[in-house]
Amino acid sequence: MSANPNQSFDDFNKQASSNFNSFLAIVVVLSVVSIAGSVAIVYLVYRCVKKNGLPAVNINTNPTAAAAMYAVVPDSQIRDATVERFLKEIAGEKPIRFTAQQLAGFTNNYSARLGAGGFGTVYKGMLPNGLTVAVKRLHVGGHGDGWSTSQEQFMAEVGSVGRIHHINLVRLFGFCFDADVRALVYEYMDNGALDAYLFDRSRAVAVATRRAIAVGVARGLRYLHEECQHKIVHYDIKPGNVLLDGGLTPKVADFGLARLASRGDTHVSVSGMRGTPGYAAPEMWMQAGVTEKCDVYSFGVLLFEIVRRRRNLDDGGAPGSQQQWFPMLAWSKHEAGHLAEAIEGCDAMDKQERETVERMCKVAFWCVQQQPEARPPMSAVVRMLEGEVDIDAPPVNPFQHLVASPAAALRWTSTTDSAESDNSLRSGSRQSAEVIIPIGSLHC
């Protein structure tokens, strides 16, 4: 019996129609899924940009063009926001760009002067929402070395501290970059610079408070070196560049010498001398490739001063006399097994306080090692200060490269002026001391 040709043709048409409908359904489903996926990606990108802002602008390349990328915020917008809301809103944003007219209004025409220095003058001000600020107005004029230095400091501060937020770093709210005005607007610090507060012997500063200040500074440096997106080397850690808020929380300030580096960079090239004599690491004087270990060294020197509440070279001796540098004195006492003798004359301390101070000195010994690779990272410094790990004394004398020869001594005048420095956000006191350190064979 032969097959019916018409029936076979109908069956074929039905099968073809079914396959086409299936194919069409698959195409429609894939198209819908593709469109939905695209919409989802666009939405996620929008949410990310809205939350975190656009990628940070590298202001180091062209300050005029980069500054133009920051929007000016009118007074009315600031006035309508409470202080808490204002701080929350700018936490994930770029610094605000202010106009020269706004800054003149914030500072009542710069009437409340807090301090001055080589780079500029600091004034007290208030934003329209009642938030107290410190406005550092940089010197502007001419186009010589001073102008270039001022420009470099401005770019360093906005390009580094302007993109980071940490409880132990001073906060940059905004800036002004006009033809005649270059200024930086910071949070106001009620207790001013650490040196003015700490070295004032008329006030009591408990050992526990000193330890908390040391830990806070160490955490701030740990964040700069190890935790923020770009490694930041400060280059000028000293008591005048640590500020205290109303609750004595320390905040690292003055990023005018700071440099940003990639996480993969092992060394950073520097031009010109950076740092402050007495606090700068030995390798800084070579103006060669340096690392974040420069900050570790400076922190160690600072730690000795936090321990004693005195400068490492006391300026209370007789005129013309040579005072002994405290870090070397502390090490000699430590080698003899009498470290307590070097510190017990500072303040009356009980057993627990003495142990805390001795621990701080041992951490400082590690930080001021001559060889940068021998110094611990700041994360290890924080753990040691907090008592999470035991501390063994370093096997090498940190000062063995200094030959005690009175005939070969390096002299310079170290002047710290909290009331007259461009990094002071509140008035302080002026102290000066002639540093006399034997140099002999300085392996810097």
Side-chain angles (χ1 to χ4, degrees), residues 113-122 415-424 426-430:
R113 181 177 175 275
L114 298 176
F119 289 129
T121 305
V122 182
T415 303
T416 300
D417 187 352
S418 297
E420 301 295 328
S421 67
D422 57 323
N423 56 51
S424 296
R426 182 170 174 142
S427 60
S429 59
R430 181 183 181 91

Side-chain angles (χ1 to χ4, degrees), residues 369-386:
Q369 288 291 302
Q370 182 205 359
Q371 297 299 327
E373 59 271 15
R375 303 169 200 156
M378 289 308 302
S379 56
V381 172
V382 172
R383 290 196 299 272
M384 288 190 288
L385 287 174
E386 291 180 335

Side-chain angles (χ1 to χ4, degrees), residues 296-320:
V296 178
Y297 181 96
S298 300
F299 175 78
V301 177
L302 170 64
L303 194 53
F304 282 120
E305 296 189 333
I306 293 177
V307 164
R308 293 199 316 153
R309 294 188 59 196
R310 292 187 179 92
R311 298 196 180 278
N312 286 323
L313 194 86
D314 287 331
D315 55 357

Side-chain angles (χ1 to χ4, degrees), residues 139 167 236 296 316 348 402 405:
H139 296 315
I167 190 174
D236 199 18
V296 178
L402 298 176
S405 173

Side-chain angles (χ1 to χ4, degrees), residues 16-238:
S17 177
S18 176
N19 291 340
F20 177 79
N21 291 336
S22 299
F23 174 76
L24 184 61
I26 293 174
V27 170
V28 171
V29 170
L30 290 177
S31 299
V32 172
V33 171
S34 177
I35 294 173
S38 300
V39 171
I41 292 174
V42 172
Y43 176 75
L44 290 175
V45 172
Y46 167 77
R47 288 291 302 274
C48 183
V49 171
K50 183 177 180 181
K51 179 179 180 181
N52 301 316
L54 294 174
V57 176
N58 184 3
I59 199 169
N60 288 322
T61 56
N62 186 332
T64 303
M69 298 295 292
Y70 293 78
V72 174
V73 176
D75 287 0
S76 58
Q77 184 174 334
I78 302 174
R79 187 180 299 110
D80 292 340
T82 63
V83 172
E84 292 78 9
R85 178 183 164 194
F86 173 78
L87 295 176
K88 183 178 180 181
E89 287 179 349
I90 70 169
E93 302 293 334
K94 297 176 295 186
I96 296 173
R97 184 175 184 181
F98 299 109
T99 66
Q101 293 75 18
Q102 284 179 309
L103 291 191
F106 298 164
T107 60
N108 193 19
N109 288 321
Y110 303 98
S111 59
R113 181 177 175 275
L114 298 176
F119 289 129
T121 305
V122 182
Y123 302 90
K124 186 176 181 180
M126 181 178 292
L127 299 185
N129 60 2
L131 180 65
T132 304
V133 294
V135 179
K136 180 163 70 174
R137 182 170 179 176
L138 306 180
H139 296 315
V140 177
H143 293 279
D145 292 339
W147 168 259
S148 299
T149 303
S150 177
Q151 292 282 82
E152 181 182 357
Q153 188 198 34
F154 177 88
M155 292 184 290
E157 298 238 13
V158 176
S160 56
V161 72
R163 66 177 66 188
I164 55 180
H165 299 287
H166 189 274
I167 190 174
N168 296 119
L169 302 177
V170 69
R171 198 165 185 177
L172 178 68
F173 292 148
F175 65 92
C176 177
F177 194 89
D178 284 359
D180 299 320
V181 178
R182 306 283 194 276
L184 300 159
V185 181
Y186 296 98
E187 61 178 316
Y188 179 77
M189 306 298 288
D190 297 271
N191 282 305
L194 176 61
D195 53 358
Y197 188 91
L198 197 64
F199 301 153
D200 182 359
R201 307 298 294 185
S202 66
R203 63 163 53 95
V205 184
V207 170
T209 301
R210 280 176 265 169
R211 174 186 173 276
I213 290 173
V215 171
V217 177
R219 287 174 177 169
L221 290 176
R222 177 182 64 183
Y223 176 82
L224 292 176
H225 295 174
E226 306 173 26
E227 297 175 0
C228 60
Q229 182 179 4
H230 293 278
K231 178 169 59 180
I232 298 177
V233 185
H234 187 281
Y235 284 124
D236 199 18
I237 297 300
K238 59 183 179 181

Side-chain angles (χ1 to χ4, degrees), residues 396-416:
V396 179
N397 179 352
F399 315 110
Q400 64 181 358
H401 58 292
L402 298 176
V403 178
S405 173
L410 176 65
R411 289 172 176 260
W412 69 79
T413 300
S414 174
T415 303
T416 300

